[in-house]
Amino acid sequence: MELKKGTLKAFDAATYKATVQVAGSLSVWLDNVAVARNIPSAEMLAGRTCALVLFDPSNPQDCVVIAVYT
């Protein structure tokens, strides 16, 4: 399990999934990332920094956004 920093690029409130750019990489964007339901959708603004937990580092789609902050 790994903890990574990212930037929120988009959020879909209907599915509670996000598009996130992993910090330090211009080319790695993760689509359809699950977002913890305890984060209010009003807080999921593009450009905010977020914390990601990657459960399997070899499978970047197996992750969840656990926090957003400025």
Side-chain angles (χ1 to χ4, degrees), residues 11-69:
F11 174 68
D12 182 353
T15 61
Y16 242 74
K17 302 248 177 166
T19 300
V20 177
Q21 181 180 11
V22 177
S25 177
L26 298 175
S27 62
V28 177
W29 289 46
L30 304 177
D31 292 318
N32 294 316
V33 175
V35 176
R37 294 288 180 146
N38 63 320
I39 302 172
S41 59
E43 296 293 327
M44 298 298 293
L45 303 173
R48 291 198 73 187
T49 303
C50 61
L52 299 161
V53 172
L54 284 84
F55 297 104
D56 179 1
S58 66
N59 179 8
Q61 293 301 316
D62 189 15
C63 65
V64 63
V65 174
I66 59 168
V68 293
Y69 55 100

